[in-house]
Amino acid sequence: MTSNLQSARKTETIFRTENLNIYYGSFLAVRDVSIEIPKNQITAFIGPSGCGKSTVLRCFNRLNDLIKSFHIDGKIFYHSADLYAEDIDPVEVRRQIGMVFQKPNPFPKTIYDNIAFGPRLLGFKGDMDELVERSLKQAALWDDVKDKLKALGTDLSGGQQQRLCIARAVAVQPDVILMDEPCSALDPISTLKVEDLLQELKENYTIVIVTHNMQQASRSADRTAFFNVVANEKGQRTGYIEEYDRTEVIFQAPTKKTTQDYVSGRFG
Amino acid sequence: MASTDRSSPMSWQRTGLSRSIDQGFVWLTGAFAIGVGVVLLAIALRVGSDAMPAIQKFGLGFLVTSRWSVNDEVFGALTQIYGTIVTSLIALLIAVPIGIGVALFLSEDYLPPRIQQPIVFLIELLAAIPSVVYGLWGIFVLIPILRPIGIWLNANFGWFPPFSVAPAGPGIYAAGIILSIMILPIIAAISRDALVAVPSELRQAAYGLGATRWETIFQVILPAAFSGIVGGIMLALGRAMGETMAVTMVIGNTDTIRSASILSQGSTVASLLANQFAEASGLQVASLMYAALILFGLTLVVNVLAELIVRRFSLKL
């Protein structure tokens, strides 16, 4: 595995997009995204429904490739590598960029096998028991499940399932973890546990999180991008980034009035 | 529906009639469900009681005797039990890998939906062909094609017991292959339904961890659909064991086991019943009923096994 992705120069900016436009067929879903996502920080994407937050997030690990009509123009750089270059294998991208989904989606396998799934794909030869334990500890789930690693992952509670999914993502030691509304299906206590977890995870990982919960963004994120959406004359809705800055700036002294209106709860 | 007082939108109350319609519906569906069980039981009891004379005369020896002599009134169904099991196994051996392969191909997005849908429909149409048509096709098309292949197999691999007899035309192999075509649409259609029903979140989770499509299919999608696929295979096996017309037309209908070769002629329980019930009398009828009971038992065993496999593996996933 000595592709361009592996040999790319490591930079302090994990992702950089340049004039990114995202299309489904001829429909422009998100326009003109130019942002930089720094290393070992939590970056939050907020904004009203349908503004393209998740769509942009899913470009970062090329998960949108699964949708046939999807295509982009503009550039996305991961470190110094052009993510959408011809010679980049999306499978390899996803092995370095983990993802946690909106709905907890553990495999219908044991807790142990859920964690071991990714490392086994990568041909991990080390001590799997140790790796499973370490991953579950990082996801603050070890104490809950250490006596029942052979139980089905799908039998855990919703909050535990989501932490299992985080542990599963962490187990392959990715560079980045993308989170697509990871707490929207969780109760408030589980949500707080996941938020605490984010602060611990950012020591080792870069996190990009999409959230509908503005308190979550203001509590957890170092930087926040506010997405907005406009409809054209045909009623097609195109998302764009209204404002992107440090979280305190977005929430306390935004430069745009729409940002101010959104974060103060006046629309969206 | 029941009359309601519409003077105020909030004053709606269920009337006695509405309640009794609900209760009546519960009873009606309950009666239907119980009715199915009663019919099954009644058939089993009747077949069992009609088989009694043969059960008393031959006992379990019936299962291991391969002689069926109307003149001597000596009956044993080993030939037919053996033929039923072997033809069904040949059918599964061919139809399971092909059926699951077809199901996988048609459940992934390899084809645009415009092409995929008609193919799915055509495969389901295979199940709609009457079995007598399969039989006729077997006699006039399949056997003439298979026979030279059988002769070649016997000439070159005759030392291998399943090929130790030169084929006369009809035989166990032809029945097995006809059955495999007949059960293919069941396996393909049910497996496809099971595969399509796997939540897309699981697929995304696997892709998100860097699994290739291949790894996703074999390590996540297939295991998640396992119990549904086994269910389809068992349904197909039940169909194969009970299939009568097509098998009777191509198997050759001998009443002894000639050899271990699948190229030799044979007989199944179902083909035995179809061939003999019209002229049977006395102990022969009882023996046919006994054979029918055994077929009944075989399918029961298959279904129980399927249930056990599904439970065992859906926990181990």
Side-chain angles (χ1 to χ4, degrees):
Chain A
M1 297 227 291
T2 51
S3 69
N4 292 3
L5 200 62
Q6 296 286 319
S7 59
R9 184 169 40 84
K10 296 290 180 204
T11 55
E12 288 299 302
T13 300
I14 299 286
F15 290 115
R16 184 161 54 85
T17 71
E18 285 177 3
N19 306 106
L20 174 68
N21 291 318
I22 303 171
Y23 300 88
Y24 294 112
S26 61
F27 164 56
L28 178 62
V30 183
R31 70 165 153 79
D32 203 23
V33 175
S34 299
I35 56 172
E36 293 189 353
I37 290 175
K39 191 177 172 192
N40 287 57
Q41 296 209 356
I42 299 174
T43 304
F45 289 177
I46 62 169
S49 298
C51 64
K53 313 180 288 287
S54 297
T55 304
V56 172
L57 189 76
R58 281 159 182 257
C59 286
F60 290 145
N61 69 344
R62 294 195 61 172
L63 206 62
N64 282 330
D65 290 25
L66 302 182
I67 300 164
K68 285 209 161 148
S69 62
F70 161 84
H71 60 102
I72 65 162
D73 57 37
K75 296 268 190 222
I76 304 178
F77 291 98
Y78 167 62
H79 291 292
S80 65
D82 178 358
L83 258 192
Y84 282 78
E86 289 284 323
D87 57 355
I88 295 286
D89 180 355
V91 169
E92 211 180 302
V93 171
R94 296 181 203 127
R95 288 182 175 180
Q96 297 187 32
I97 302 172
M99 184 146 192
V100 176
F101 296 83
Q102 182 171 4
K103 198 174 141 201
N105 56 357
F107 298 123
K109 300 173 188 281
T110 63
I111 292 168
Y112 186 99
D113 285 340
N114 263 283
I115 308 293
F117 183 88
R120 279 178 189 150
L121 287 182
L122 295 170
F124 178 73
K125 292 284 187 294
D127 183 350
M128 187 66 85
D129 292 352
E130 193 269 330
L131 178 65
V132 168
E133 181 175 340
R134 179 153 42 94
S135 305
L136 285 168
K137 278 180 174 161
Q138 283 191 42
L141 190 62
W142 175 250
D143 290 331
D144 298 27
V145 302
K146 64 185 172 198
D147 300 322
K148 50 174 183 178
L149 293 177
K150 295 289 168 211
L152 282 177
T154 40
D155 285 347
L156 296 172
S157 75
Q160 289 173 328
Q161 285 191 19
Q162 195 61 303
R163 278 181 283 150
L164 178 63
C165 292
I166 293 171
R168 182 176 67 184
V170 165
V172 292
Q173 284 151 348
D175 196 22
V176 187
I177 302 176
L178 306 176
M179 297 188 170
D180 190 357
E181 297 184 43
C183 299
S184 67
L186 304 186
D187 62 82
I189 292 170
S190 302
T191 300
L192 283 178
K193 281 189 183 166
V194 171
E195 284 181 16
D196 288 345
L197 189 54
L198 291 180
Q199 298 306 322
E200 289 170 33
L201 289 174
K202 82 174 201 188
E203 305 293 321
N204 298 311
Y205 307 97
T206 304
I207 294 170
V208 187
I209 180 170
V210 167
T211 178
H212 261 297
N213 180 335
M214 277 185 280
Q215 284 75 37
Q216 183 167 66
S218 64
R219 278 193 300 258
S220 309
D222 300 301
R223 298 181 68 83
T224 298
F226 169 57
F227 282 69
N228 204 352
V229 61
V230 285
N232 68 4
E233 63 281 2
K234 280 187 281 179
Q236 291 177 331
R237 291 156 63 84
T238 298
Y240 62 98
I241 290 186
E242 187 81 60
E243 195 167 351
Y244 175 50
D245 211 322
R246 284 181 293 116
T247 299
E248 341 40 299
V249 176
I250 293 288
F251 279 90
Q252 283 154 25
T255 52
K256 300 271 182 68
K257 185 167 181 310
T258 42
T259 313
Q260 174 69 46
D261 287 350
Y262 185 77
V263 298
S264 58
R266 246 167 275 167
F267 84 100
Chain B
M1 277 303 286
S3 64
T4 52
D5 176 14
R6 295 190 182 279
S7 59
S8 152
M10 298 306 289
S11 68
W12 192 90
Q13 274 189 324
R14 292 181 73 196
T15 60
L17 180 61
S18 159
R19 281 166 208 270
S20 50
I21 287 175
D22 272 8
Q23 190 55 51
F25 185 73
V26 172
W27 285 332
L28 187 70
T29 49
F32 287 155
I34 293 166
V36 172
V38 168
V39 168
L40 182 74
L41 211 63
I43 294 175
L45 284 176
R46 185 60 202 268
V47 171
S49 74
D50 284 2
M52 245 344 170
I55 295 174
Q56 277 160 357
K57 177 127 193 244
F58 304 114
L60 289 176
F62 190 77
L63 300 176
V64 292
T65 309
S66 75
R67 182 150 173 248
W68 191 275
S69 169
V70 180
N71 293 333
D72 302 338
E73 295 221 312
V74 176
F75 300 107
L78 180 64
T79 312
Q80 287 74 27
I81 294 168
Y82 165 81
T84 303
I85 293 172
V86 172
T87 51
S88 303
L89 286 184
I90 293 173
L92 284 189
L93 218 59
I94 299 171
V96 167
I98 298 179
I100 294 177
V102 168
L104 271 177
F105 185 72
L106 294 176
S107 65
E108 293 283 314
D109 58 352
Y110 293 113
L111 296 173
R114 251 177 327 134
I115 303 174
Q116 187 173 321
Q117 285 305 325
I119 295 181
V120 171
F121 177 70
L122 283 178
I123 287 170
E124 283 169 5
L125 212 60
L126 266 184
I129 299 177
S131 65
V132 66
V133 176
Y134 274 110
L136 210 61
W137 178 79
I139 290 171
F140 290 112
V141 180
L142 189 64
I143 288 177
I145 295 172
L146 288 178
R147 194 161 170 244
I149 300 172
I151 289 170
W152 181 85
L153 280 174
N154 173 248
N156 292 283
F157 300 97
W159 48 267
F160 184 49
F163 303 141
S164 59
V165 171
I172 290 175
Y173 68 109
I177 289 169
I178 283 274
L179 282 176
S180 72
I181 300 169
M182 296 177 76
I183 65 174
L184 184 69
I186 302 176
I187 295 176
I190 294 179
S191 301
R192 179 174 182 273
D193 287 348
L195 290 168
V196 169
V198 173
S200 63
E201 287 90 9
L202 288 185
R203 182 186 295 272
Q204 295 197 354
Y207 280 124
L209 285 165
T212 60
R213 188 199 281 263
W214 184 255
E215 288 161 341
T216 303
I217 289 174
F218 278 87
Q219 295 181 30
V220 176
I221 312 274
L222 272 180
F226 180 83
S227 55
I229 293 173
V230 170
I233 291 172
M234 289 300 159
L235 206 64
L237 181 55
R239 167 97 201 263
M241 292 200 306
E243 172 51 40
T244 309
M245 200 61 207
V247 170
T248 309
M249 289 165 84
V250 301
I251 200 168
N253 302 307
T254 57
D255 42 24
T256 55
I257 300 176
R258 297 265 171 84
S259 74
S261 172
I262 59 165
L263 300 175
S264 67
Q265 299 180 356
S267 172
T268 67
V269 176
S271 69
L272 173 82
L273 298 178
N275 276 319
Q276 303 214 343
F277 80 96
E279 293 95 29
S281 62
L283 192 59
Q284 193 184 354
V285 172
S287 299
L288 288 176
M289 286 294 183
Y290 194 1
L293 203 62
I294 290 164
L295 183 58
F296 208 28
L298 275 177
T299 45
L300 193 71
V301 168
V302 164
N303 279 305
V304 170
L305 274 181
E307 193 62 31
L308 289 176
I309 292 172
V310 168
R311 280 195 198 168
R312 169 106 190 268
F313 280 84
S314 43
L315 284 181
K316 268 180 77 181
L317 289 179

